[in-house]
Amino acid sequence: MGKRGFFICVEGLDGCGKTTQAKLLVARLREKGYDAIYTAEPSRGKIGMFIKKYCLHGRKRVSSVVEALLFAADRFEHVENVVIPALNEGKLVVSDRYVYSSLAYQGAAGLDLKWVEKINEHAISPNLAVLIDVVPETVIQRLKPKKSVMENLETQRKVREVYMKFVEKGELVKIDGSNSKQEVADDILTVVLRFLEKAV
Ligand code: TMP
């Protein structure tokens, strides 16, 4: 790997297996000798923790505009404090959610995608963005016991629609998330290794 590392993000609906897969990817890349790290958004920084407490687990729904601004602010800190320093050390950074989550979720909440893009202008582009695609009906079954405001069928459908726009634009690489955990992991690794072979 060159001096500057690579930035990969993993996206998908709630309950698509994204966190498991992002962590598996890091483990498998490490086995292959890459200096890979796992990170996530919302981040573990102060704003990320605030989002988890007040937006995701709070009783009252926060306005979509406020949510979008908080996610963008958290992303700014995440990029500055975690992603860029790791890239500068030549690491392979795997982020469990990134800017496409804001576009998909806050877009699904009715916000103008252009505005969501604008407030996320500071966010560096990932080198590779992967979408673990599952149909909303599947994730709703998986999420039933821990259903929250973000996790109803209607919302998940809208979120998937936005993600698909970016798949069509060629910005997100779609992986079939309906396969077994092992198959999904293999498919993601294949896409990532193919990208790295070309990029290095
Ligand atoms: P998680 O379950 O992957 O930790 O994500 C928490 C929730 O936050 C999930 O429902 C998606 C949502 N989210 C947004 O709405 N916008 C964003 O920019 C990010 C990063 C997450």
Side-chain angles (χ1 to χ4, degrees):
M1 214 181 321
K3 197 163 175 241
R4 202 179 148 81
F6 293 102
F7 183 28
I8 297 167
C9 63
V10 182
E11 294 280 355
L13 300 183
D14 302 286
C16 73
K18 189 180 41 54
T19 301
T20 305
Q21 290 297 339
K23 288 183 175 168
L24 261 177
L25 175 64
V26 168
R28 294 181 77 184
L29 286 167
R30 283 186 183 160
E31 276 167 21
K32 294 202 171 289
Y34 289 98
D35 190 1
I37 63 156
Y38 170 88
T39 185
E41 290 188 2
S43 80
R44 305 180 80 165
K46 283 209 174 94
I47 303 171
M49 299 314 280
F50 180 84
I51 291 173
K52 284 178 203 171
K53 192 163 177 195
Y54 293 101
C55 302
L56 305 180
H57 305 304
R59 290 194 180 179
K60 220 170 137 234
R61 186 72 205 254
V62 177
S63 104
S64 304
V65 170
V66 172
E67 261 177 17
L69 291 167
L70 284 170
F71 280 118
D74 178 45
R75 187 159 298 123
F76 185 87
E77 285 201 341
H78 182 222
V79 167
E80 290 276 305
N81 298 339
V82 179
V83 179
I84 290 182
L87 291 176
N88 286 341
E89 286 174 15
K91 292 189 198 302
L92 222 160
V93 181
V94 176
S95 184
D96 176 351
R97 294 197 183 281
Y98 190 53
V99 70
Y100 293 106
S101 285
S102 279
L103 292 162
Y105 282 82
Q106 279 60 65
L111 298 187
D112 178 22
L113 286 188
K114 287 265 168 282
W115 179 74
V116 180
E117 267 171 2
K118 180 94 195 135
I119 59 167
N120 280 283
E121 254 176 14
H122 62 271
I124 57 167
S125 297
N127 297 103
L128 178 68
V130 172
L131 172 73
I132 301 177
D133 185 44
V134 287
V135 290
E137 288 73 9
T138 308
V139 292
I140 288 302
Q141 284 305 319
R142 291 183 193 164
L143 290 169
K144 253 182 190 161
K146 52 169 197 165
K147 200 168 174 294
S148 79
V149 279
M150 291 276 197
E151 294 163 349
N152 65 60
L153 187 58
E154 181 71 5
T155 306
Q156 300 292 320
R157 281 194 181 129
K158 287 187 195 159
V159 171
R160 185 168 181 252
E161 262 173 45
V162 187
Y163 272 139
M164 283 308 164
K165 282 188 191 167
F166 290 97
V167 170
E168 279 155 30
K169 280 168 84 178
E171 290 189 36
L172 279 174
V173 180
K174 188 175 93 165
I175 302 285
D176 185 353
S178 66
N179 292 327
S180 72
K181 180 171 137 185
Q182 204 51 48
E183 282 169 318
V184 175
D186 288 346
D187 289 347
I188 297 175
L189 188 66
T190 303
V191 168
V192 170
L193 291 179
R194 203 176 293 149
F195 160 77
L196 289 172
E197 274 161 25
K198 278 194 198 153
V200 176

